Amino acid sequence: MIVTKHISLDKDCVEKMEPYVERHSGNFSAAMREIIDRAGKSGLPYNSSAIGNSLLKWMLMETDDILVPDGVLDELINPILMNSMKKLEEYLSYKFGELGWNIDLVLKYDNEKLPSDVLIEIKGDTQRIKFVACILSQYLVKNSLERTPLKIRCVINFSDSIKVELSRSNKDEAHRSLVTFFGGMDEVIRAIKSNPDFWKAIINRHVLSNYNMVTLHRNYFEDLLANKIPLGEITIETLAKKPIQEIPLKEMLFLIKEVYETSRVADRVEIDKENIILFHNYRNKEAIEKLKKILVMLLEANGHLYDAKSTANIIVLTHRPDVGIKINEIVDNLKTSNSKVDQELIMFLTFLKGFKDIPDIPLSLTVLGRKIGRSLMQEYERENGIKSWNLETFKHAFETINSRIHVESEWKLEGNNLLYTVRKCNIATEGNKFDTYICHTAREAFKGALNYAFGNRAGLEIRKLLSHGDNLCEVVIQIH
């Protein structure tokens, strides 16, 4: 049965009802029914909160740093209110007044219908105003994306108030700013809820082991199982959202700290300007040496040379920009040189002969050699039009290179492997004097060339070395 009554409402009541009327496309009766229905479902006086203060406070604390689902947000604040900052402010003031939250909310904006700058000022209980700031910021960002995207520029907290500044930006920055300021735990909670059994087991294992578990990317772990030095850090590239070589050094150091600490590879990582101090509990010397080399190679992939020294439970990585500058000058010259391979070889030899000016830095020499080896192969590849490498093209490249620098070598196929023998090396031997460091660097140049051609598919078994007192060098190249 429908009962028709005539009622009188003052202007203030009508304005408060406007959001409901707009939600129902101007149908005043439908708006009234929703208001009455809501009041009936609450079962509480008009100005009472739906839940007790203690429970409300706990709920707000538990949802801190978690964004409200879009569907819930749309039910809470009608998206159409985005067309009027004034009506949005009035509706929210009414809404939280209805809940008895005792919140003062003010919106300041440069344009009432299409703002490009918005300032939110909220006063009241600390936990409540933070929640209101979160949902209002989320509302403004979400509903501005298709018009003039607004990003959160800053959030300023006071003892009894909070200010949020938003300004015009793009969609990506708008989304990121929302996560940065109000959604820090949002992705974490969603991941846990999507696979609770997995995360419960992982957390239990970390707790039971007193956080002595180590978490590694599968590809990284595979390299370790294969007794290879991982060439990069997939997790770091994923976090940075760009290749390792494009990450600025300062950012790279902090990413190393974050990844190595949270994965529990290291107990603690400290950064001192451009140097790194890594604290660990490993006891095996070979394991510590491998970790040291991994870090040096990782930073080399980032374009920087580091020395590494270790004591009982500490690895110290010292930046060597002096060596890096020399190497980078050579590499830059090689890249701009018009004479390709011949000029590179001349510069390579000249640098090796003059490199006694550089202090004793064996790990940096490893990096140096590999970097020069890669550059040699890059230019050889360009000059000879090589599209892909195999053992035959690699053998031919080094036969050419060795003939030009007077290294006497032989190549022999052993099944699917290639035996490479150096019978005389004029690079490392001058007269009767053998230079260990030059030999080491030349050997690493060969490894760098091999890695450039075949990546992690290449294995290298060393059988004999001149530097170990043998009368020749002999290695077996294995391609997997």
Side-chain angles (χ1 to χ4, degrees):
M1 182 177 70
I2 298 174
V3 179
T4 303
K5 296 283 186 179
H6 294 282
I7 59 173
S8 298
L9 298 173
D10 58 29
K11 184 179 178 181
D12 184 54
C13 290
V14 172
E15 287 179 352
K16 289 177 180 178
M17 290 176 63
E18 278 186 5
Y20 296 94
V21 176
E22 289 178 358
R23 190 200 303 273
H24 293 280
S25 303
N27 189 323
F28 194 83
S29 297
M32 284 296 294
R33 283 196 294 273
E34 181 184 350
I35 294 169
I36 294 167
D37 185 54
R38 287 194 176 199
K41 286 180 179 178
S42 70
L44 294 166
Y46 181 73
N47 282 322
S48 297
S49 176
I51 55 177
N53 284 334
S54 297
L55 180 58
L56 176 63
K57 186 175 182 179
W58 175 80
M59 290 173 65
L60 292 178
M61 288 178 64
E62 290 302 306
T63 56
D64 195 17
D65 277 344
I66 301 174
L67 299 175
V68 177
D70 286 348
V72 175
L73 185 65
D74 289 344
E75 285 188 18
L76 185 63
I77 312 174
N78 193 334
I80 201 170
L81 289 173
M82 190 67 190
N83 294 324
S84 170
M85 292 292 102
K86 181 182 178 182
K87 288 183 179 180
L88 175 63
E89 180 182 354
E90 289 172 351
Y91 170 74
L92 291 172
S93 297
Y94 162 72
K95 185 72 177 177
F96 293 110
E98 183 183 34
L99 292 172
W101 277 26
N102 297 321
I103 284 176
D104 291 327
L105 185 149
V106 176
L107 289 180
K108 297 179 180 178
Y109 37 85
D110 61 345
N111 187 289
E112 207 256 337
K113 292 186 179 295
L114 199 65
S116 57
D117 287 288
V118 179
L119 173 63
I120 305 169
E121 294 181 349
I122 311 170
K123 293 183 179 180
D125 175 77
T126 303
Q127 202 66 42
R128 294 182 184 185
I129 62 175
K130 185 174 182 181
F131 177 74
V132 174
C134 172
I135 61 172
L136 181 51
S137 298
Q138 186 179 347
Y139 175 85
L140 291 171
V141 170
K142 174 181 176 289
N143 291 290
S144 68
L145 294 178
E146 300 305 324
R147 308 190 308 172
T148 304
L150 293 171
K151 77 168 183 177
I152 302 167
R153 192 166 57 194
C154 68
V155 177
I156 306 169
N157 290 285
F158 301 98
S159 58
D160 64 343
S161 65
I162 188 169
K163 291 184 178 182
V164 182
E165 294 183 22
L166 298 98
S167 60
R168 181 180 296 182
S169 185
N170 57 60
K171 290 184 179 181
D172 289 339
E173 287 190 2
H175 278 300
R176 280 197 297 269
S177 70
L178 192 58
V179 172
T180 299
F181 287 102
F182 292 109
M185 290 296 293
D186 198 59
E187 187 176 358
V188 175
I189 297 299
R190 280 192 281 112
I192 293 173
K193 286 184 176 180
S194 68
N195 199 347
D197 292 338
F198 170 81
W199 287 109
K200 184 178 179 181
I202 290 293
I203 291 168
N204 283 340
R205 289 172 193 170
H206 274 283
V207 172
L208 289 172
S209 69
N210 194 26
Y211 293 92
N212 280 312
M213 297 273 294
V214 175
T215 306
L216 298 173
H217 193 282
R218 187 189 299 272
N219 293 354
Y220 191 94
F221 182 59
E222 184 181 8
D223 284 343
L224 293 177
L225 288 178
N227 201 30
K228 296 177 181 178
I229 298 294
L231 297 177
E233 175 51 75
I234 297 168
T235 308
I236 287 177
E237 290 187 324
T238 303
L239 287 172
K241 294 183 173 64
K242 50 191 165 188
I244 269 189
Q245 60 269 24
E246 295 179 11
I247 304 173
L249 179 58
K250 185 177 179 181
E251 181 183 350
M252 183 69 182
L253 297 182
F254 280 101
L255 284 170
I256 289 174
K257 174 180 172 64
E258 179 182 348
V259 169
Y260 275 65
E261 286 182 346
T262 54
S263 66
R264 304 304 298 155
V265 170
D267 295 332
R268 190 172 84 255
V269 177
E270 293 182 359
I271 299 171
D272 178 18
K273 296 180 181 177
E274 294 183 345
N275 302 326
I276 299 177
I277 305 168
L278 184 143
F279 297 84
H280 63 85
N281 277 314
Y282 301 117
R283 295 162 294 175
N284 185 287
K285 289 184 178 179
E286 289 184 7
I288 295 168
E289 282 300 308
K290 179 166 278 192
L291 177 59
K292 194 163 63 172
K293 288 180 180 179
I294 287 171
L295 286 163
V296 170
M297 299 300 285
L298 175 61
L299 286 159
E300 188 274 333
N302 185 236
H304 300 276
L305 295 189
Y306 273 76
D307 276 342
K309 296 180 181 178
S310 57
T311 58
N313 296 108
I314 299 174
I315 296 174
V316 180
L317 295 160
T318 306
H319 191 206
R320 291 303 306 269
D322 52 335
V323 179
I325 288 169
K326 280 192 175 184
I327 296 170
N328 288 334
E329 282 178 357
I330 291 174
V331 173
D332 287 343
N333 287 335
L334 297 182
K335 288 179 179 178
T336 58
S337 171
N338 292 322
S339 20
K340 307 291 182 184
V341 178
D342 285 342
Q343 285 300 315
E344 290 190 27
L345 289 171
I346 291 168
M347 295 180 74
F348 176 41
L349 293 171
T350 303
F351 183 73
L352 287 179
K353 294 298 181 184
F355 110 67
K356 292 180 181 177
D357 297 334
I358 300 174
D360 180 5
I361 42 170
L363 276 177
S364 292
L365 293 183
T366 298
V367 173
L368 161 64
R370 296 198 182 202
K371 197 164 188 175
I372 290 175
R374 287 197 299 271
S375 284
L376 279 168
M377 295 303 279
Q378 280 178 322
E379 291 303 332
Y380 184 92
E381 186 179 68
R382 289 172 191 157
E383 190 172 277
N384 293 275
I386 294 174
K387 301 299 182 183
S388 63
W389 290 93
N390 55 43
L391 285 176
E392 184 60 36
T393 53
F394 185 81
K395 168 179 171 290
H396 186 268
F398 259 83
E399 283 177 338
T400 303
I401 290 170
N402 286 346
S403 68
R404 294 179 184 179
I405 57 178
H406 305 293
V407 171
E408 297 176 14
S409 62
E410 294 176 3
W411 300 81
K412 182 180 178 182
L413 214 61
E414 290 188 347
N416 293 325
N417 301 330
L418 191 61
L419 176 65
Y420 173 47
T421 304
V422 175
R423 299 201 173 275
K424 185 178 180 181
C425 180
N426 289 315
I427 298 176
T429 307
E430 189 172 350
N432 294 321
K433 188 177 179 182
F434 180 77
D435 194 309
T436 303
Y437 287 158
I438 290 178
C439 175
H440 174 83
T441 308
R443 189 164 66 249
E444 293 302 324
F446 178 80
K447 290 180 182 178
L450 188 66
N451 177 259
Y452 176 80
F454 302 107
N456 280 341
R457 294 189 298 119
L460 192 66
E461 177 194 342
I462 298 175
R463 293 184 178 176
K464 296 179 181 180
L465 288 177
L466 280 168
S467 57
H468 292 175
D470 293 309
N471 60 355
L472 52 81
C473 285
E474 193 173 85
V475 298
V476 177
I477 302 170
Q478 304 159 331
I479 305 300
H480 306 292

